[in-house]
Amino acid sequence: MGLLKKLTNVMTFGYLLVLDKKVPDDLARVKRLQNKKIHRLMKRAYEIPFYRKRFEENHLTPDDFHCSEDLVKFPVLTKDELRVWMKELYDQNPETRDSWDETSTSGSTGVPLRLYQSQREHAFANANWIRILMTLGYNPFFGRMVSFESSYRKEKKSRDSFIQRFGILQRRILSERRCVGDETAKVIQELNEYAPDLICLRKNCIVRIALYAQEHNLKIRQPKWYIPVSEMVDEMTQKILKKTFGPGLVDAYGSDETGSCIIKAPGKDYYDICNDTHVVNIYDDQGRLADNGKVILTPLYKTDFPIINYDIGDMASSFTKEGIRFITKIHGRLNDMVKHEKGESTSVLELRKIPNGITGIAQFRYVQDSYHDLRVELVRDPKDTTYTNEEIDRFFRKRLQELYGDEFRIEIRWLDVIPPDPNGKLRCFVCNIKE
């Protein structure tokens, strides 16, 4: 495995050399490159039994696919279907599976999904993430980065390596378990001493650091860029983070399954897509291409373990220019649903909008414990006293009354901090009703 790791690092560097290091202006060239990769991917997928069956059931061949618009003909891939296929591959390939790269999703919406990819795909995903950082202006060789501890790898040693002492590939891993209580003060001190150019942490962790700094009047040396990952960054979170970390907020979007592919740089009012490595389509309720609807992802570099037309479970708004798509807003998860006693379910999107109607809140979460009990967990913004707790309480109850009438008993609970889920994420809606 040590040799495989070294080969992966070499391949990562090789792929990094051929990827664009800035968002290209020549959209026609990008479209041609994307079209070529789509056809190549579908030819490869046709050789794989799982996908061959999907082709044949829909009377399709690889010659039916030459552009992103053609992918609408192909069936959507669900998380459950991907889970079954991954397990089948593992069970059927005992002689080669030890060479695969294995990861797992956090399981924030259910059972964690165990994923497999080739070392080549792993290297390409790494290279694509590095080049995303480079499009911002970050220098991966001489820049300083602080990033989060992976849930499926051991934390690296705290001391710099030999080459890092010369200012090359400097990177510190921050254990999120430290960002609790007064230990956070030590974390802030270390951040100020290290003075990173880039901070990349899970959203719930970087928000906790920001809130602690604001509450205790601690200054944090502002990095050039900071990226909250693993969760959607809502408008309220943006305001909290910018108070502490400054204007360098980067909103990056992707998944463990598909890699990162959508990026919003500081100062932009839209998201760029890595169209040379991914297809991001938007489908309406009838499965047609649209400007608003479900996000459907296809990573073009995954030709060993393809993931085609993956329903990631989020909704977004977009526009297209010269056949290239740009995202204007990511609305969040489609499959977070409020459950009602008579069997129907309704979207939580309206619940997410409520906190944006009033100031003084730093974090929020809704917890549905039964068909008639809805708990609202809130954390104060320590620097905004425009409204009292009682006024915010009345505001939430009024808006929830407008949405649901008298269907729910509403409990408003004020907390010092909302703890993350065991998987490290912090969902804004949790339903505890068992099916």
Side-chain angles (χ1 to χ4, degrees):
M1 292 304 290
L3 178 60
L4 284 176
K5 170 119 178 119
K6 291 179 181 178
L7 290 175
T8 299
N9 291 339
V10 172
M11 287 189 288
T12 296
F13 183 75
Y15 286 128
L16 189 58
L17 293 177
V18 301
L19 287 169
D20 286 330
K21 308 306 184 299
K22 64 177 183 177
V23 178
D25 298 323
D26 188 348
L27 300 185
R29 183 184 73 83
V30 173
K31 184 65 173 175
R32 289 194 301 271
L33 180 60
Q34 186 186 67
N35 291 347
K36 180 180 178 180
K37 291 184 176 181
I38 288 169
H39 185 58
R40 184 179 66 187
L41 171 66
M42 299 310 278
K43 286 177 65 177
R44 168 61 184 133
Y46 195 69
E47 302 170 357
I48 298 172
F50 174 80
Y51 281 107
R52 173 69 74 93
K53 182 179 179 182
R54 296 169 86 86
F55 274 100
E56 293 176 347
E57 287 176 345
N58 291 275
H59 310 289
L60 297 167
T61 72
D63 287 333
D64 292 305
F65 301 92
H66 295 277
C67 62
S68 60
E69 293 81 2
D70 287 340
L71 286 175
V72 74
K73 307 171 190 175
F74 206 71
V76 167
L77 177 66
T78 67
K79 181 166 288 191
D80 286 340
E81 289 171 329
L82 181 58
R83 179 182 289 110
V84 170
W85 180 44
M86 288 284 114
K87 186 176 187 307
E88 288 177 353
L89 283 176
Y90 184 82
D91 292 341
Q92 295 169 4
N93 294 276
E95 70 286 351
T96 60
R97 65 194 184 196
D98 287 344
S99 66
W100 300 347
D101 182 74
E102 178 183 333
T103 63
S104 176
T105 66
S106 63
S108 58
T109 59
V111 180
L113 168 61
R114 193 174 298 277
L115 296 164
Y116 304 102
Q117 59 184 347
S118 66
Q119 295 297 329
R120 184 197 64 79
E121 290 175 339
H122 183 197
F124 200 105
N126 288 346
N128 191 49
W129 176 241
I130 294 171
R131 78 84 175 255
I132 285 176
L133 301 181
M134 292 177 70
T135 63
L136 302 172
Y138 179 74
N139 187 318
F141 294 101
F142 298 105
R144 292 185 175 189
M145 179 195 299
V146 169
S147 63
F148 60 93
E149 181 183 7
S150 171
S151 59
Y152 47 84
R153 81 172 165 245
K154 293 182 180 179
E155 186 174 357
K156 294 187 178 182
K157 58 185 180 182
S158 58
R159 290 185 297 176
D160 288 343
S161 66
F162 178 77
I163 63 171
Q164 285 174 334
R165 294 173 191 171
F166 291 92
I168 301 173
L169 299 175
Q170 294 186 82
R171 182 166 173 252
R172 295 279 177 87
I173 301 297
L174 175 61
S175 173
E176 295 173 0
R177 293 187 295 272
R178 297 183 57 205
C179 301
V180 178
D182 290 337
E183 178 70 14
T184 311
K186 296 181 182 178
V187 169
I188 292 173
Q189 180 182 353
E190 291 172 13
L191 288 175
N192 287 335
E193 292 172 352
Y194 187 56
D197 301 297
L198 170 67
I199 296 175
C200 182
L201 297 172
R202 287 190 179 93
K203 189 188 84 170
N204 75 78
C205 179
I206 197 169
V207 168
R208 292 202 305 270
I209 294 172
L211 290 175
Y212 187 92
Q214 292 170 26
E215 184 178 359
H216 294 84
N217 294 312
L218 298 176
K219 293 291 185 182
I220 294 180
R221 181 168 177 173
Q222 295 181 349
K224 293 178 182 177
W225 309 278
Y226 56 99
I227 308 177
V229 299
S230 296
E231 304 160 62
M232 190 182 76
V233 181
D234 53 70
E235 295 176 13
M236 188 178 67
T237 300
Q238 291 182 27
K239 294 176 183 177
I240 293 295
L241 292 176
K242 287 180 179 180
K243 286 181 184 178
T244 297
F245 291 98
L249 174 64
V250 177
D251 194 358
Y253 178 87
S255 70
D256 292 309
E257 301 94 304
T258 63
S260 295
C261 56
I262 304 175
I263 190 81
K264 185 177 182 181
K268 281 197 171 184
D269 57 1
Y270 63 88
Y271 296 76
D272 289 299
I273 295 173
C274 299
N275 289 290
D276 57 342
T277 61
H278 291 76
V279 172
V280 179
N281 277 331
I282 305 294
Y283 287 6
D284 64 15
D285 291 339
Q286 282 72 49
R288 301 171 301 196
L289 287 172
D291 288 337
N292 303 287
K294 296 191 296 184
V295 179
I296 306 296
L297 290 179
T298 301
L300 298 173
Y301 66 90
K302 288 183 66 65
T303 55
D304 300 314
F305 297 81
I307 296 179
I308 301 173
N309 277 3
Y310 186 59
D311 184 355
I312 197 169
D314 286 331
M315 297 186 70
S317 299
S318 69
F319 68 91
T320 55
K321 181 180 179 182
E322 298 181 35
I324 294 297
R325 189 176 298 276
F326 299 86
I327 301 295
T328 54
K329 187 174 180 60
I330 298 172
H331 300 288
R333 300 210 67 82
L334 178 66
N335 52 6
D336 281 344
M337 306 293 283
V338 179
K339 297 180 180 179
H340 304 278
E341 191 170 24
K342 294 183 179 180
E344 70 273 22
S345 298
T346 56
S347 171
V348 302
L349 292 181
E350 291 302 317
L351 288 177
R352 289 198 181 103
K353 296 177 183 178
I354 293 177
N356 294 326
I358 195 167
T359 64
I361 305 167
Q363 289 181 293
F364 71 93
R365 178 164 62 188
Y366 299 96
V367 182
Q368 184 183 4
D369 288 318
S370 74
Y371 290 118
H372 298 287
D373 292 282
L374 184 64
R375 183 168 74 253
V376 185
E377 298 177 341
L378 301 173
V379 174
R380 287 247 28 157
D381 179 344
K383 294 297 184 181
D384 190 333
T385 58
T386 305
Y387 298 96
T388 66
N389 286 15
E390 291 74 20
E391 288 172 322
I392 296 174
D393 186 300
R394 287 196 296 270
F395 172 81
F396 269 83
R397 292 182 185 277
K398 181 175 182 295
R399 291 295 305 276
L400 291 168
Q401 171 81 21
E402 293 169 355
L403 280 176
Y404 302 116
D406 296 325
E407 181 178 357
F408 292 105
R409 293 180 289 269
I410 306 298
E411 177 190 359
I412 308 290
R413 184 178 296 181
W414 290 93
L415 303 174
D416 293 331
V417 65
I418 297 176
D421 299 332
N423 56 37
K425 292 189 176 184
L426 198 161
R427 290 178 290 164
C428 74
F429 178 79
V430 177
C431 183
N432 291 325
I433 297 177
K434 305 298 182 184
E435 294 291 350

